[in-house]
Amino acid sequence: MALSSVVVTMEKPNKFSLVEINGSDSTLLLEKQKAVSPKQFTWFLFLKANRVFACLSWLPMALKTTFLSVKKRIALSDVSDEEAKSRRLYRFIKVFLFISIFALVLEIFAHLKKWNLNMIQPWEVQGLFQWCYMTWLSFRVDYVAPLVLTMSKFCIVLFLIQSLDRLILCLGCFWIKYKNLKPRINGDAYDIEDGSSFPMVLVQIPMCNEREVFAQSIAAASQLDWPKDRILIQVLDDSDDGNLQLLIKDEVSLWREKGVNIIYRHRLIRTGYKAGNLKSAMACDYVKDYEFVAIFDADFQPNPDFLKQTVPHFKGDPELGLVQARWSFVNKDENLLTRLQNINLCFHFEVEQQVNGAFLNFFGFNGTAGVWRIKALEESGGWLERTTVEDMDIAVRAHLNGWKFIFLNDVKVLCELPESYEAYKKQQHRWHSGPMQLFRLCLPAIVTSKISVSKKANLIFLFFLLRKLILPFYSFTLFCIILPLTMFIPEAELPLWVICYIPIFMSFLNIIPALKSFPFLVPYLLFENTMSVTKFNAMISGLFQLGSAYEWVVTKKTGRSSESDLVALAERESKSLNEEKITRRHSESGLETLNKLKKQEEITPLKKRNRLYRKELVLAFLLLTAAARSLLSAHGVHFYFLLFQGLTFLVVGLDLIGEQIS
């Protein structure tokens, strides 16, 4: 039988207490009687005070350390090459900064003098300085404010149109999820027992000085699950390093000895960059025997079943020209920069590519992780070297020729994100200058093509103008120029919903495909506004054919994700060598060659330094100046937005985001 009650004695410092628990309580929960003596309470307060003082003493040291590190960074950093080539925008922002600082000094002086100029009559003006300030206010109200107000209204309209487009894309994505709309394979699958039923597939791996990642891409392509006599892998090497060429040749020889149908091609003259490399490879005589071509950049690692998940979609659909897979990132949690990139690219694939593929059968080819029907490439003119976005170029021309595209959101290919801001900035410059080059070149062909009017309108107004031109234009103009300007021109002040509510709502929509990144919502919004400077500059250079529009810089890879794969690959190689007794007469071990190259790097280390980005730094001080002016007027949200946006520009301008180079 259960006892009706239990008496529990609990001993505390300086105190004893009795608790009685009735047997009728099924939970038998102990309700602790908390009794604290005055002595205990005093010690508790002393402990809290000690922690507060420790925190206060740590704060100056942290600020001092941060200041010294920033000072050292400025002393040792280099100005980026791109900054030196885009002086016009930098000079414009710098002049704007000087004017803003001068205006802030005037506003502070007027604030300290407690001038109420609205109540002063002209004959009551005291001194030349007060008269000049009243003249400026009158000129501002009559001439400057209307101009700024017109510009802000124009940018707000563009902002609303682009936000509506993004909202429609998100609704389309929700509809796809709700209806479970996915591309289906027409017809039966290929007969596994009959290898001749599989189509001939060409796999191309274009690369250029990809020392860190070439081994993993070749290994992944060599392990694709496809009949050996129905696949050919082309390693298209544009490297200018003789040692690296030998290393890649060695890797290719290793897989060839294992029975993989793989060849190595190297161009002596590297013209046309990636487009020229692919064009040269497609000119080989044996290509006519192949029906499809799969393209993977050097840092991409397809799963063995990639071809079996993509190529069957072409069966029974002769109008299908491209099957695009989604990217997945091995280093998305490496640092803050990769986390923010992951948010952007998840939205691009999950929403933009999927919705356009499902409802329009058209989207921009991502340049890798896709399978093309070779006939579609040939009928569309093949690879052209006229822009830095050869992938978007061939996609637009294929669309104008009537070919359809599908996007497979469930098929993911592993790749790597740029971990340094320098690499990411160069990548974004190429991605935003190239489309404007292409728009200039393709506009006559789009207008005169035989596709429907709706498809022409989609290409011109949505694909190019709205998403490639208007987005960087209003982002930079509205949030980096007009917003700080309105702090000195209160008559044209932007409403709260423009700088707060709609941007946060749009950022929330962007982050939905990567919900785990929700804590980075505000940093994502601030960083995207910061990147608008690079995107705007790239868009202008591409639209007006400036010198930087023709730059094609290979995105730097760290190879951080491939180290474990390389070790695992070496273990598999050693086992296969023991089992199959393969004798490699004309090549060394890949790991031995890699060790030699590492020793050479240790002997002659490359001097790498973080860079300073002047446009970002000048804009940081401009926004902080505007924040100070906003503080005088107690603008509230405007002040906080300008403050944190200015600090974000400062962090990026000092290259304190992403991979740090000592």
Side-chain angles (χ1 to χ4, degrees), residues 634-648:
H635 277 106
V637 175
H638 293 72
F639 165 73
Y640 291 110
F641 180 85
L642 288 166
L643 175 63
F644 289 112
Q645 187 66 71
L647 293 176
T648 305

Side-chain angles (χ1 to χ4, degrees), residues 210-264:
E210 308 278 4
R211 175 175 297 179
E212 296 81 6
V213 294
F214 75 89
Q216 64 183 14
S217 61
I218 295 175
S222 299
Q223 298 178 57
L224 288 171
D225 187 9
W226 203 254
K228 299 299 182 184
D229 59 337
R230 314 295 290 179
I231 185 174
L232 172 64
I233 301 173
Q234 287 181 317
V235 179
L236 311 176
D237 182 26
D238 264 5
S239 302
D240 54 9
D241 185 344
N243 291 327
L244 182 57
Q245 294 172 23
L246 292 175
L247 188 62
I248 298 174
K249 286 181 182 178
D250 183 79
E251 188 72 20
V252 171
S253 299
L254 167 64
W255 288 102
R256 188 186 300 115
E257 290 174 355
K258 292 183 177 182
V260 177
N261 192 12
I262 182 172
I263 61 174
Y264 173 85

